[in-house]
Amino acid sequence: MTKIVIVSTSAPKLKEHDTGLWIEELATPYYLFKKAGYEVTIASPAGGAIPVDKNSMADGFFTDEAKKFMHDAEAIGQLSHSTKLDSIDFSSGIDAIFLCGGHGTCADFTANPALKSAIETLYAANKIVSAVCHGPNGLPQCNKPDGTPLVKDKVVAAFSNKEEHAVGLQDLVPFLLESKLRELGAKYESSDDWNCKVCVDGNLVTGQNPQSSEACAAAVISALSA
């Protein structure tokens, strides 16, 4: 059975700003991966209960998949008792990793040795590394086996500078994700704000924003089926 680890933030705050997981970016991929027959593990840097950004459950953002997830005993069980990231052996039996977003990732994905090791291990083994929205915050710290930045010369998508300014958190994030990826030599691509954009470059799959989570997960499934 194909095994995939979905990694969420453990951070309830970004400095003074209440945040956490953007629930749709976990829920939609979770159900697509389950439908594909995968063994899905929900993990986080700290393990245990994952904080959910209340804004992701507001009108207009609380999608049908997210509502289903919040009433799903098995799903909520995993959300409440997530596996601690550094307890997973990514060198054996894991086929893919999917980093979901929320501004919490700005606090605990950007300088995270366990996440860096997981991503680099899977990437070097030609397994699928995927991330959506602010999930790509986990990528800048990572290197290819030759020591160059993992994203260098890779076509990638992630939350855009324009989108970050639109939500007014540009002064709280550790870096603007689009700018950081470009700085590291990535070939950053985007759609208009809040429109779907997914990039696939080898075994790296990335999506721009919450509107991209379904297509990003579908691209992961296609890559794993290839």
Side-chain angles (χ1 to χ4, degrees):
M1 180 183 284
T2 299
K3 295 182 179 179
I4 188 164
V5 177
I6 301 178
V7 185
S8 165
T9 180
S10 293
K13 283 185 174 289
L14 173 60
K15 298 179 181 175
E16 70 274 12
H17 177 73
D18 287 340
T19 185
L21 163 70
W22 197 263
I23 187 64
E24 188 276 336
E25 294 170 19
L26 189 155
T28 298
Y30 174 87
Y31 285 118
L32 285 171
F33 296 149
K34 286 288 224 181
K35 185 178 179 181
Y38 299 170
E39 181 181 315
V40 182
T41 298
I42 296 176
S44 64
I50 290 171
V52 176
D53 189 325
K54 67 180 186 296
N55 294 313
S56 68
M57 294 191 288
D59 285 348
F61 301 110
F62 200 25
T63 62
D64 288 344
E65 289 88 352
K67 291 173 184 174
K68 178 182 175 183
F69 188 96
M70 297 305 283
H71 290 89
D72 181 332
E74 181 184 349
I76 285 297
Q78 283 217 55
L79 188 78
S80 302
H81 304 278
S82 68
T83 303
K84 196 167 188 289
L85 188 61
D86 65 9
S87 73
I88 300 172
D89 180 6
F90 283 91
S91 67
S92 178
I94 306 298
D95 299 290
I97 192 170
F98 186 96
L99 313 182
C100 44
H103 277 88
T105 62
C106 302
D108 65 358
F109 273 24
T110 57
N112 187 311
L115 185 58
K116 172 179 163 69
S117 174
I119 293 168
E120 290 179 344
T121 297
L122 290 176
Y123 186 85
N126 206 34
K127 305 294 186 180
I128 302 300
V129 172
S130 55
V132 70
C133 197
H134 283 92
N137 272 312
L139 300 178
Q141 64 192 325
C142 300
N143 295 316
K144 298 185 179 87
D146 66 5
T148 60
L150 187 145
V151 299
K152 188 175 189 297
D153 298 324
K154 289 288 186 180
V155 179
V156 298
F159 207 61
S160 70
N161 290 355
K162 281 181 64 183
E163 287 169 323
E164 199 66 76
H165 280 84
V167 299
L169 295 177
Q170 69 276 3
D171 294 328
L172 288 182
V173 297
F175 45 74
L176 290 170
L177 193 43
E178 173 187 339
S179 295
K180 175 61 75 173
L181 292 168
R182 290 183 186 278
E183 177 188 313
L184 292 169
K187 299 173 182 175
Y188 177 86
E189 294 185 357
S190 64
S191 184
D192 292 338
D193 292 1
W194 322 119
N195 281 268
C196 177
K197 177 67 179 181
V198 172
C199 295
V200 180
D201 192 334
N203 57 325
L204 182 64
V205 181
T206 48
Q208 180 177 336
N209 47 31
Q211 291 74 21
S212 308
S213 59
E214 181 176 359
C216 191
V220 171
I221 292 168
S222 294
L224 286 167
S225 303

